[in-house]
Amino acid sequence: MYDFIYHRATSIGGAQSTFKSSDDPVYLAGGMTLLPTMKLRLANPSDVIDIGQLDGLTGVERSGDEIVVKAMTTHDEVAASADIATAIPALGSLADSIGDPHVRNRGTIGGSIANNDPAADYPAALVGLGSVVVTTSREIEADGFFTNMFETALEPDELITAVRFRIPEAACYMKFPNPASRYALVGVMVARTNDGVRVAVTGAGPCVFRVSEMETALTADFKPEAIAGIPVATDGLNSDIHAGSEYRAHLVGVMAARAVAACS
Amino acid sequence: MKVNVGVTVNGKKVTAEVEARTLLVQFLRDHLELTGTHVGCDTSQCGACVVHVDGKAIKSCTILAAQCEGTNVVTIEGLADGDTLHPMQEAFRDNHGLQCGFCTPGMVMAAVDLVTRHPQPNEELVRERLEGNLCRCTGYHNIVKSVVAGAEAMAR
Ligand code: FES
Ligand code: FES
């Protein structure tokens, strides 16, 4: 790892002003992606702004028909939350499937979505559940938040403070993990909400995406058979030594059908 | 850049000036000479480096020493009570839960965290929750046995 200037932020405003006055800064949340990237020298920030000890950025709250997860809440805390287990069990089990227990003790929801890894699980949860990302300056619909591989709608110094999840009628996340890395080769979140069904896919493409044909079919008839004949286009899907684009496209249908079956 | 780090390690307060890029595992091994914590992969996969920070098992190869400011760190050296091994360490010895021993410090630290959360884990749960710890010798069988026995001993 190259040398850098370390800043321990004591307030959100302080973290942002350090960011603005630095050369090539980066925020450090749990560090589960950033630190390995820096160790491989794929990232070489001039300044690392550690937001890990800021107050008020962790915890889960239920308010009305929403679950609010603060940005620095770890995957372990999401997995262990009784409120989430009652309201959106699919979200708790998704968090419990990320990495391994030690990674879940450090990795945070805000860090994960700000990174927008194409194979990360949370993007499917946010888009599938129709969530809202709350930042230091605004609220961003999940549909518009994840813009491209490792890219989001965030401004450089903007910090995520929370994610608001609408509580669905039913939801389920099914993942086909890469047998070695355990990252999602394909992961599908299916959610039945009061304004229709949402189907969000991670791992298959460069960025999380929705499958509108499946959503329409499932809104009309929420059964695995309803999406049996719906093909997923292979254009633009990931293709690598682990799985070709055709295999991934096929898995989207299989995982979506399993998710529907587990919901109903 | 140098930073000052103040942490409690195995009950003792330590402060040191280290390079900002110092990982917790380097701080433990190179600065404090606590070489019980191992580095197997350095890429957050193997779990040989697992220690507890504020009671939670984490991979010390993937956290900066500076991030641990003010925390309470426990390493494998901090588990035993004088000459009396921790029940989980004793269980690994009794059940032949190690061969070369390289993965063992991380396995034991992971197991203690696991049992704190799930006081009576069954074999299936132990296998699932040891996903972040790799062993290249034992084939895991005796490790799983050790963790189940260690959990029983910890409950006594
Ligand atoms: S050395 Fe940390 S996980 Fe392998
Ligand atoms: S005992 Fe040798 S690696 Fe586990």
Side-chain angles (χ1 to χ4, degrees):
Chain A
M1 193 184 310
Y2 292 111
D3 200 13
F4 53 81
I5 301 170
Y6 174 84
H7 308 265
R8 186 173 301 120
T10 50
S11 70
I12 292 182
Q16 288 186 292
S17 52
T18 307
F19 194 100
K20 285 192 196 120
S21 61
S22 303
D23 199 20
D24 181 18
V26 67
Y27 289 123
L28 173 62
M32 292 297 96
T33 304
L34 178 62
L35 292 174
T37 313
M38 287 172 63
K39 285 164 76 175
L40 290 169
R41 298 186 169 183
L42 295 171
N44 180 20
S46 64
D47 294 72
V48 171
I49 304 164
D50 182 2
I51 55 170
Q53 305 209 356
L54 291 183
D55 288 332
L57 280 182
T58 55
V60 174
E61 278 160 29
R62 183 176 180 149
S63 79
D65 58 355
E66 285 184 339
I67 289 280
V68 181
V69 183
K70 304 256 185 75
M72 292 294 289
T73 308
T74 63
H75 311 324
D76 179 63
E77 288 160 347
V78 170
S81 158
D83 280 335
I84 290 177
T86 318
I88 323 178
L91 179 61
S93 62
L94 174 144
D96 201 37
S97 78
I98 300 173
D100 62 49
H102 323 311
V103 168
R104 294 196 286 274
N105 279 337
R106 291 290 308 162
T108 67
I109 186 167
S112 170
I113 61 174
N115 187 51
N116 192 18
D117 188 301
D121 299 288
Y122 269 129
L126 267 75
V127 172
L129 293 163
S131 317
V132 173
V133 180
V134 184
T135 78
T136 40
S137 52
R138 56 190 166 142
E139 303 204 335
I140 310 171
E141 292 281 338
D143 278 332
F145 180 83
F146 301 100
T147 51
N148 209 333
M149 181 152 94
F150 295 114
E151 282 176 27
T152 67
L154 288 172
E155 294 299 326
D157 67 312
E158 191 174 8
L159 272 169
I160 300 165
T161 54
V163 181
R164 299 195 344 237
F165 291 94
R166 271 194 306 159
I167 298 173
E169 292 165 5
C172 184
Y173 179 65
M174 282 287 165
K175 154 160 89 169
F176 190 96
N178 177 317
S181 73
R182 319 301 289 166
Y183 267 98
L185 213 50
V186 169
V188 181
M189 174 66 89
V190 174
R192 206 178 65 209
T193 71
N194 51 14
D195 56 342
V197 174
R198 298 173 70 99
V199 177
V201 180
T202 191
C207 185
V208 60
F209 62 90
R210 288 169 66 186
V211 189
S212 50
E213 297 86 345
M214 289 189 182
E215 294 182 347
T216 312
L218 289 168
T219 302
D221 182 16
F222 195 73
K223 289 205 186 75
E225 302 85 79
I227 51 171
I230 297 180
V232 175
T234 56
D235 292 358
L237 292 193
N238 300 336
S239 205
D240 52 33
I241 53 164
H242 307 293
S245 53
E246 279 183 23
Y247 185 58
R248 278 189 163 89
H250 176 72
L251 278 180
V252 171
V254 176
M255 292 298 119
R258 285 188 192 169
V260 175
C263 277
S264 39
Chain B
M1 184 213 183
K2 298 266 192 192
V3 286
N4 285 311
V5 182
V7 280
T8 304
V9 179
N10 299 333
K12 266 197 230 112
K13 278 220 159 77
V14 290
T15 48
E17 196 189 47
V18 298
E19 276 202 50
R21 58 181 166 177
T22 307
L23 299 167
L24 176 62
V25 71
Q26 294 169 325
F27 182 64
L28 294 170
R29 290 180 56 86
D30 303 347
H31 294 255
L32 304 181
E33 300 188 348
L34 292 170
T35 52
T37 302
H38 293 165
V39 179
C41 65
D42 203 24
T43 51
S44 42
Q45 296 175 62
C46 74
C49 65
V50 169
V51 301
H52 295 180
V53 172
D54 287 340
K56 290 182 170 183
I58 58 101
K59 290 180 162 171
S60 63
C61 73
T62 313
I63 182 171
L64 300 171
Q67 287 176 280
C68 301
E69 172 71 24
T71 62
N72 195 357
V73 178
V74 178
T75 70
I76 189 74
E77 289 93 342
L79 272 195
D81 179 10
D83 285 342
T84 314
L85 289 181
H86 185 279
M88 189 58 76
Q89 293 174 301
E90 195 63 56
F92 269 69
R93 181 160 77 175
D94 290 347
N95 291 279
H96 198 51
L98 60 148
Q99 287 178 24
C100 80
F102 195 88
C103 68
T104 316
M107 287 287 179
V108 171
M109 297 311 284
V112 171
D113 185 23
L114 189 164
V115 174
T116 312
R117 290 154 196 261
H118 308 279
Q120 288 179 320
N122 59 20
E123 185 190 323
E124 191 189 343
L125 186 82
V126 171
R127 286 187 188 276
E128 187 193 297
R129 298 284 143 170
L130 284 184
E131 184 178 3
N133 294 79
L134 303 180
C135 175
R136 295 294 79 165
C137 301
T138 62
Y140 300 100
H141 237 64
N142 288 351
I143 291 178
V144 175
K145 255 203 234 163
S146 306
V147 177
V148 173
E152 280 164 18
M154 279 170 69
R156 280 201 287 273

